[in-house]
């Protein structure tokens, strides 16, 4: 979902960043990710499942961040990369949990724009320094 969004020989644009946020939104709505979220939720109250899922969650986090660094070359030197990653992950996961919300698509588009603008600000601040 994230391939060919950020190319190292071209300037990173707001449109590129928005494509990546929209791809993250698409990702958290895949059946496999929904199932993963269900397991994480169940692990909150099931200690045995919590132990099992903890390793999976650490692996997922590590691999997801590794993937972000690989497919977004412009972000490799951004000191706030972990924070930017967390922002996208937590907002998209939270939105995915609101699957019964009214006007879900319109609301998601609005939040995607807000997250995009925030990431553009983070990237521009880091690029200037």
């Amino acid at each position: 979902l994230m391939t060919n969004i950020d190319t190292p020989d071209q300037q990173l644009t707001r449109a590129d960043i928005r494509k990546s946020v929209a791809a993250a939104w698409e990702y958290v709505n895949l059946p496999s990710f929904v199932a993963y979220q269900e397991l994480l939720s169940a692990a909150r109250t099931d200690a045995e499942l919590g132990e099992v899922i903890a390793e999976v969650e650490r692996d997922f986090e590590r691999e997801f961040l590794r993937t972000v660094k690989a497919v977004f070359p412009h972000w490799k030197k951004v000191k706030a990369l972990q924070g930017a990653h967390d922002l996208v992950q937590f907002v998209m996961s939270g939105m995915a949990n609101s699957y019964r919300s009214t006007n879900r698509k319109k609301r998601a588009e609005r939040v995607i724009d807000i997250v995009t603008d925030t990431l553009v600000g983070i990237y521009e601040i880091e690029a200037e320094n």
Side-chain angles (χ1 to χ4, degrees), residues 15-84:
D16 298 328
I17 292 173
R18 191 181 192 293
K19 283 182 201 171
S20 69
V21 176
W25 173 238
E26 186 178 343
Y27 178 75
V28 299
N29 284 284
L30 293 173
S32 57
F33 191 82
V34 171
Y36 173 67
Q37 287 297 105
E38 293 293 328
L39 287 170
L40 289 177
S41 292
R44 291 177 65 183
T45 56
D46 183 324
E48 187 176 346
L49 179 58
E51 288 180 31
V52 172
I53 203 77
E55 182 74 24
V56 173
E57 189 172 14
R58 280 190 296 277
D59 287 346
F60 174 80
E61 288 289 322
R62 185 174 42 252
E63 287 303 310
F64 195 85
L65 191 56
R66 186 186 64 76
T67 300
V68 167
K69 289 178 181 177
V71 299
F72 297 108
H74 284 93
W75 285 84
K76 282 183 183 175
K77 295 180 182 174
V78 173
K79 293 177 188 170
L81 177 60
Q82 182 68 53

Side-chain angles (χ1 to χ4, degrees), residues 57 61 83-97:
E57 189 172 14
E61 288 289 322
H85 165 264
D86 289 345
L87 171 70
V88 173
Q89 179 185 350
F90 294 143
V91 170
M92 294 301 124
S93 294
M95 284 188 353
N97 285 328

